[in-house]
Amino acid sequence: MPELPEVETVRLGLKPALEDRVILKAQIRRGDLRRPFPARFTERLEGRAVRALRRRAKYILADLDSGETLVIHLGMSGRMSVYAAGHRRRLGDYVYNPAPESAGHDKHDHVILDTDAPARIVFNDHRRFGLMTLIATDALEENPLFEDIGIEPLSAGFGAAYLAQALAGKKPPVKSALLDQRVVAGLGNIYVCEALFLAHISPKRLAGAVRRDEVVRLARAIKSVLKAAIKAGGSTLRDHAQATGDPGNFQHRFLVYGREGKPCKGTRCGGTVKRIVQAGRSSFYCPRCQT
DNA sequence: AGACGTACCTGACCGC
DNA sequence: TGCGGTCAGGTACGTC
């Protein structure tokens, strides 16, 4: 699932259940995800108020009033679902599932947080590539998880100037460079493919050989595709769901991703979308539009 | 230092 | 119906 737009969608959906709320009870149903939960994990969460719910790259960050931050990564298949307790189904601007008796009892429901919204938040991750940990808030930036992560693509500081210097001298293909979280934070396979199509740049081009005028288009394309995807609630292929349980909608608007053999959607093109493998990942592109 | 391949884990899907 | 093989949105680690 989750690239920046999916993580941002989940964060927005969690907000009314978590931000400025108190975590009344925390439960874990196994000892680890991708890595073990930290010592006394549930005790360090219970009774804590969430001061802010932020996102950095593909991580959701819940700043607690204890000075620690709950760090959440959804991996490939993680979901965070909110169930409104009792008969209350509306939290803020969002309508959630009522709490079924089974909420938190699926085989892959690994973490359950009950807050005073009141709401139940369930973290489900069948592949267990996800991560949850606690890090001192004022030490986040120096933490190995974050110290090498690049600029946020939707921040004011991200533009052609930044991207040009970030790609300069890089030997890998531009496709691989954009997947590198040190270059730009939060991009994944889908949105890199889509952004390169929008910018008319072949994924095979070497990062350091992308011309300045192309970098200008690429920076704009990255921003626009991410914004549109967030607006659509992200892309659901298999696993992504918004916190309400609803799928995202952006997958219906893919221009190249997953469209191998289908006609290019570029105006006046008439070409066919091709799939190649780069660094072990599928790249989709139109050889006629993207050069 | 940087680039590449591989491993992590489960489920869905396809062909036989 | 069942089995084996392949693939999947991400990251981290070992190796060269």
Side-chain angles (χ1 to χ4, degrees), chain A residues 4 56-58 148-154 158-159 162-163 166-167 177-188 192 218-219 222-223 226:
Chain A
L4 188 155
R56 174 76 172 112
K58 297 169 192 167
D148 292 328
I149 291 195
I151 195 168
E152 284 292 325
L154 295 179
F158 176 80
Y162 170 84
L163 192 55
L167 296 179
L178 291 175
L179 281 178
D180 186 339
Q181 298 299 294
R182 296 170 298 186
V183 173
V184 185
L187 294 180
V192 168
L218 184 55
I222 288 169
K223 280 187 191 273
L226 293 178

Side-chain angles (χ1 to χ4, degrees), chain A residues 10-55:
Chain A
V10 171
R11 183 187 75 88
L12 292 171
L14 288 177
K15 258 185 123 160
L18 210 46
E19 198 166 64
D20 295 321
R21 306 294 190 185
V22 175
I23 299 170
L24 301 174
K25 187 172 172 64
Q27 302 171 66
I28 54 178
R29 303 190 63 227
R30 53 175 299 120
D32 64 346
L33 295 171
R34 182 180 180 80
R35 57 162 76 171
F37 289 105
R40 300 180 52 254
F41 181 62
T42 57
E43 290 88 339
R44 286 155 75 185
L45 291 173
E46 287 180 354
R48 300 273 62 86
V50 176
R51 293 301 186 209
L53 194 65
R54 302 180 286 143
R55 181 191 55 75

Side-chain angles (χ1 to χ4, degrees), chain A residues 63-254:
Chain A
D63 296 330
L64 308 178
D65 62 357
S66 58
E68 294 193 297
T69 294
L70 172 62
V71 175
I72 303 166
H73 195 286
L74 301 174
M76 293 275 268
S77 58
R79 288 183 174 199
M80 300 278 288
S81 306
V82 174
Y83 300 91
H87 63 278
R88 274 189 61 179
R89 300 175 65 156
R90 181 174 286 277
L91 293 169
D93 294 330
Y94 300 85
V95 178
Y96 294 101
N97 301 321
E101 291 307 310
S102 61
H105 295 285
D106 180 87
K107 179 179 166 190
H108 300 296
D109 286 346
H110 303 311
V111 180
I112 304 162
L113 303 176
D114 291 321
T115 76
D116 65 349
R120 165 162 286 194
I121 298 162
V122 178
F123 177 89
N124 178 289
D125 182 10
H126 66 83
R127 287 175 79 180
R128 298 208 306 276
F129 284 178
L131 157 76
M132 265 202 213
T133 194
L134 286 161
I135 298 171
T137 306
D138 60 13
L140 277 175
E141 287 176 17
E142 301 87 67
N143 187 277
L145 289 177
F146 299 101
E147 63 180 348
D148 292 328
I149 291 195
I151 195 168
E152 284 292 325
L154 295 179
S155 70
F158 176 80
Y162 170 84
L163 192 55
Q165 65 84 22
L167 296 179
K170 284 243 180 332
K171 279 173 273 184
V174 62
K175 162 74 191 309
S176 305
L178 291 175
L179 281 178
D180 186 339
Q181 298 299 294
R182 296 170 298 186
V183 173
V184 185
L187 294 180
N189 208 30
I190 291 175
Y191 298 105
V192 168
C193 290
E194 295 294 304
L196 286 170
F197 176 80
L198 289 172
H200 310 300
I201 300 168
S202 166
K204 296 195 279 191
R205 292 276 296 286
L206 300 190
V210 179
R211 296 189 313 270
R212 178 64 190 221
D213 61 308
E214 295 173 318
V215 172
V216 171
R217 293 204 303 262
L218 184 55
R220 287 201 189 116
I222 288 169
K223 280 187 191 273
S224 74
V225 73
L226 293 178
K227 282 183 195 166
I230 291 169
K231 209 170 169 185
S235 303
T236 298
L237 299 187
R238 287 184 182 78
D239 301 314
H240 168 62
Q242 307 185 49
T244 53
D246 298 318
N249 288 303
F250 196 73
Q251 66 279 8
H252 304 303
R253 288 158 58 187
F254 289 164

